[in-house]
Amino acid sequence: MNNFVLKGDMEEANYKPQMLTEYTQNPFIEALPPIFSEDDVLERFMVTPRISEKDKQSETNIRYHVLKRVKNFIQPLPIHFEVERRLSTLIRRGYLARNPLDKTFFERIRKLHELREDEAQAHKYIDERLNHIRSTADSLSIIGISGIGKTTAIERLLLMYPQVIKHEIYEQQPFNRTQIVWLKIDCPYDGSLSTLCKSFFKAIDDLLGTRYLEKFGYLNRVTSTMLLHMTSLASMYGIGVLVIDEIQHLLHAKNDQEEMLNFFVTLSNTVGIPTVLIGTSKAQQLFKGNFRQARRAASDGAIIWDRMAEDSEEWEFFLETLWELQCLKTRSELTNEVKKTFYEECQGITSVAVNLFILAQERALFDESNEDEIITPHVLKKTAKEDMKIIQPMLNAIRKNDIRAMYKYEDIIINLDDLMINHKQNSEYEGRVKEAMKERQNTLQYKRVEITENLSYEIASLGIFDNLNPNDIRKLVSKVVDNEPIESEYNTLKLEAIQNAMKLNQRKKEQKVKSTSKEELLPLLRIRANAIESKKHPYELLKINGYIKPVLEEFTN
């Protein structure tokens, strides 16, 4: 239960006019950001690490560290825009049947409350009781090979939305609600459905400071009962989309396949929130043999995220952009032979390509026989063979299209199913993205975004601001960069950002201490917590500590 939980921003509701009539008079939709344009996605998605001329002139040992910035590189591709469009519609259309101003919303909350009162028997008739207020939601599956960038993409797209929105007044009427726009959890490695439910409670606890895991997730809870509480919380907090990553782990579970798939159908049918299921190719086994579940798991289609093809424009575009991030004495040219070798050694897999590029430069830096520090086909081959030895069997299976060998590494198999909608490359669309990218790279705004991304990454990597999350750091860095002239020295901006981070970190630390000291003033709460921890009834400890007097003794006295 120690999985990292992605956290986004929390903000006060700011209601915006809607372009579509079906989205009006719905506070959950009106409080969302406007529907993003392609330019918005480009600006928010792209991460191009900064490597200056000064960096390139630095000593070898310094440049070795500079090269690590390239790990942060993210290049917008047509598939990212496709995922963003699907996510945008999933969230909004999911709220249509869950309008908090609609009487069915309150009817649903009431029914759920009744079911929770009769928790012991509720799981037997939950479907029947909720049938007339059912709010079936769409689901999206994203299936692709490991390292292709699925998780990175979905996380950056989710962070374009605030995660929590606080509502107080809507159209001059009191409207006190907390809305969770998105929630992302990882499927537990053991594939246990009860652990998955507990991850859901923990994610909300981490976000809002609640104690639902303690309340609803203790050991003897059955999965169906926990699902009931998930349903209740999803309704109460208006969760816009639930993203479940690494779903291939469910194949490790003791549960049978039918039970697992029914769980996902119930999530969208009963819980009524859109779900995005992300997994490697292995996850396709979950949906084989049962049309109903496969259809529900991909009611909004499934995106098959395959590696980039060697002759595709998107690969050419990706490689050209990546190639600019060199930090060597001599600029290595991207010849046809280099391109061919590079693809041969990474097979169009994003993370493999980025790592190969970094490692090849590191090899060129320290190879005494390569005085000019040039990336050649020989350097690329030697790097792949020696520094990336562990993944060679997998890459060989892909190169040879050896199905038998690929079955040993199920994460790399892409088997297009009739139920899946294959992601088709759109050359015209790629061309537009490429032109927009080039144009944006010349704008001041792009330069500010680029500096902000790099500074945020560097400051977060220091690991000394334990009270700040990545969003806190990005916000304060963005403020520093926006308030200073664009020509300001990078190191000057960095120093100012670090000073501001130190102040904010200290302030948050003091707030935590203050919060803890307040708790210490509440001995009854402390006694209750101790009772739960020691598995005793709070009454016993309250009596031992003198808060409950013996009734007969008091009476006789």
Side-chain angles (χ1 to χ4, degrees):
M1 297 298 294
N2 294 321
N3 288 346
F4 167 78
V5 176
L6 181 71
K7 284 189 181 179
D9 291 337
M10 184 180 290
E11 62 178 43
E12 299 295 323
N14 173 23
Y15 304 109
K16 302 157 194 78
Q18 299 298 304
M19 301 290 287
L20 302 178
T21 51
E22 63 263 41
Y23 292 164
T24 58
Q25 293 300 300
N26 189 325
F28 282 170
I29 296 178
E30 290 181 11
L32 297 173
I35 296 171
F36 295 116
S37 66
E38 289 166 15
D39 273 357
D40 293 328
V41 180
L42 263 178
E43 193 169 294
R44 302 279 292 275
F45 202 89
M46 180 169 49
V47 180
T48 311
R50 180 179 181 275
I51 298 178
S52 66
E53 286 304 317
K54 187 179 176 184
D55 289 328
K56 293 175 187 177
Q57 305 304 319
S58 303
E59 293 297 317
T60 304
N61 60 327
I62 301 298
R63 285 187 287 147
Y64 178 82
H65 285 261
V66 170
L67 281 174
K68 298 300 181 186
R69 292 180 195 164
V70 181
K71 277 191 175 291
N72 223 27
F73 171 70
I74 300 176
Q75 169 69 62
L77 297 168
I79 195 166
H80 296 138
F81 293 86
E82 183 177 339
V83 175
E84 190 283 320
R85 288 195 298 271
R86 299 281 188 93
L87 188 64
S88 175
T89 50
L90 265 184
I91 293 172
R92 287 172 172 82
R93 296 200 65 79
Y95 279 136
L96 290 180
R98 294 182 295 141
N99 188 337
L101 302 182
D102 196 291
K103 65 179 182 182
T104 58
F105 181 86
F106 297 101
E107 175 70 1
R108 184 180 181 81
I109 298 284
R110 188 180 66 78
K111 289 280 182 193
L112 287 166
H113 182 72
E114 285 175 10
L115 285 167
R116 281 169 62 179
E117 291 295 304
D118 185 22
E119 171 182 302
Q121 298 296 315
H123 65 277
K124 295 177 183 175
Y125 51 82
I126 181 171
D127 280 342
E128 182 190 326
R129 292 285 291 277
L130 288 177
N131 197 48
H132 72 289
I133 51 167
R134 189 178 294 282
S135 58
T136 300
D138 282 328
S139 306
L140 171 67
S141 297
I142 302 176
I143 306 293
I145 59 180
S146 293
I148 206 71
K150 306 179 297 296
T151 300
T152 301
I154 204 76
E155 288 186 350
R156 285 196 75 80
L157 291 172
L158 288 173
L159 289 170
M160 290 172 68
Y161 294 85
Q163 188 172 16
V164 178
I165 299 176
K166 297 278 189 183
H167 299 262
E168 288 184 4
I169 294 173
Y170 179 74
E171 294 193 342
Q172 299 179 333
Q173 296 295 318
F175 180 68
N176 198 358
R177 288 219 165 270
T178 297
Q179 174 188 0
I180 297 176
V181 179
W182 54 266
L183 204 60
K184 179 183 176 290
I185 56 178
D186 286 349
C187 202
Y189 191 76
D190 64 0
S192 157
L193 292 180
S194 64
T195 310
L196 184 66
C197 293
K198 289 171 187 174
S199 297
F200 177 89
F201 298 136
K202 187 176 185 302
I204 294 181
D205 289 345
D206 288 348
L207 202 56
L208 303 179
T210 48
R211 299 170 78 171
Y212 293 123
L213 176 60
E214 181 184 301
K215 193 173 180 183
F216 303 138
Y218 48 79
L219 288 174
N220 61 350
R221 289 278 191 189
V222 292
T223 305
S224 52
T225 306
M226 286 196 280
L227 187 60
L228 169 62
H229 292 295
M230 283 176 71
T231 308
S232 182
L233 293 175
S235 294
M236 187 165 73
Y237 290 117
I239 296 176
V241 66
L242 176 64
V243 178
I244 303 175
D245 203 353
E246 308 289 3
I247 60 163
Q248 71 279 359
H249 290 168
L250 289 174
L251 291 166
H252 300 169
K254 294 172 184 173
N255 320 288
D256 63 30
Q257 195 178 66
E258 190 76 16
E259 184 188 356
M260 288 187 267
L261 292 170
N262 274 325
F263 179 82
F264 288 124
V265 173
T266 307
L267 267 180
S268 55
N269 277 358
T270 307
V271 180
I273 56 175
T275 52
V276 176
L277 307 178
I278 305 173
T280 62
S281 314
K282 195 187 295 184
Q284 287 182 91
Q285 293 177 33
L286 290 167
F287 308 121
K288 290 195 183 301
N290 191 316
F291 180 77
R292 171 175 168 263
Q293 278 90 342
R295 182 179 60 80
R296 289 296 319 136
S299 61
D300 196 38
I303 293 176
I304 299 295
W305 196 317
D306 206 351
R307 60 202 176 100
M308 290 178 270
E310 186 176 5
D311 58 356
S312 68
E313 191 172 339
E314 70 174 339
W315 168 250
E316 185 82 15
F317 180 29
F318 176 87
L319 186 54
E320 283 176 4
T321 313
L322 179 64
W323 208 252
E324 292 301 312
L325 303 176
Q326 294 182 41
C327 197
L328 301 172
K329 276 183 190 172
T330 312
R331 177 184 162 76
S332 305
E333 294 305 316
L334 191 56
T335 63
N336 286 335
E337 191 185 356
V338 168
K339 285 182 186 177
K340 186 174 173 53
T341 307
F342 198 94
Y343 189 86
E344 182 71 13
E345 299 302 343
C346 74
Q347 290 298 303
I349 301 169
T350 316
S351 64
V352 180
V354 171
N355 281 314
L356 175 61
F357 184 62
I358 294 169
L359 292 168
Q361 290 193 72
E362 287 177 6
R363 182 167 285 274
L365 274 178
F366 295 104
D367 186 352
E368 291 179 5
S369 64
N370 189 352
E371 286 184 17
D372 293 329
E373 300 179 359
I374 297 174
I375 304 173
T376 63
H378 173 72
V379 169
L380 290 170
K381 284 177 182 174
K382 196 170 181 184
T383 302
K385 185 180 177 183
E386 295 182 16
D387 301 335
M388 304 172 76
K389 192 174 182 178
I390 196 166
I391 62 169
Q392 285 311 308
M394 290 168 266
L395 290 173
N396 278 329
I398 296 174
R399 280 186 203 107
K400 296 171 184 174
N401 199 25
D402 184 342
I403 301 299
R404 187 175 292 179
M406 286 168 81
Y407 268 105
K408 293 179 188 174
Y409 316 106
E410 289 169 299
D411 286 350
I412 61 177
I413 298 170
I414 288 291
N415 178 21
L416 298 183
D417 197 290
D418 289 340
L419 299 165
M420 301 294 188
I421 300 169
N422 187 17
H423 165 63
K424 293 181 173 57
Q425 306 300 334
N426 184 329
S427 294
E428 184 186 340
Y429 193 70
E430 285 170 12
R432 278 167 49 209
V433 172
K434 193 171 180 178
E435 285 306 309
M437 270 280 294
K438 283 182 177 174
E439 189 179 324
R440 188 156 296 281
Q441 283 176 339
N442 295 322
T443 66
L444 291 178
Q445 184 55 32
Y446 169 79
K447 287 173 184 171
R448 288 193 188 279
V449 170
E450 182 189 32
I451 293 168
T452 300
E453 288 291 346
N454 286 299
L455 262 182
S456 302
Y457 177 72
E458 280 192 50
I459 291 170
S461 299
L462 292 173
I464 57 174
F465 303 114
D466 50 348
N467 294 299
L468 303 184
N469 63 42
N471 281 311
D472 294 329
I473 291 172
R474 197 184 188 289
K475 274 185 178 177
L476 70 87
V477 168
S478 183
K479 198 171 179 182
V480 168
V481 174
D482 288 346
N483 289 340
E484 296 295 336
I486 194 68
E487 62 275 5
S488 299
E489 275 286 322
Y490 185 80
N491 285 336
T492 306
L493 295 171
K494 186 175 176 180
L495 179 63
E496 188 181 342
I498 288 173
Q499 287 171 342
N500 288 359
M502 288 169 73
K503 288 175 189 171
L504 183 59
N505 192 62
Q506 183 60 29
R507 205 155 56 238
K508 290 211 168 193
K509 185 179 178 181
E510 287 167 3
Q511 284 170 357
K512 273 188 185 174
V513 171
K514 203 173 180 181
S515 168
T516 307
S517 63
K518 271 186 186 175
E519 263 187 40
E520 286 168 4
L521 295 174
L522 300 170
L524 295 181
L525 286 178
R526 193 166 64 249
I527 288 169
R528 178 183 176 275
N530 290 340
I532 291 167
E533 197 175 325
S534 57
K535 296 183 180 174
K536 293 181 180 176
H537 196 286
Y539 181 88
E540 291 179 41
L541 288 190
L542 287 168
K543 194 172 179 181
I544 291 167
N545 284 274
Y547 286 96
I548 296 175
K549 299 285 185 186
V551 180
L552 288 174
E553 216 176 279
E554 284 287 302
F555 184 74
T556 53
N557 287 341

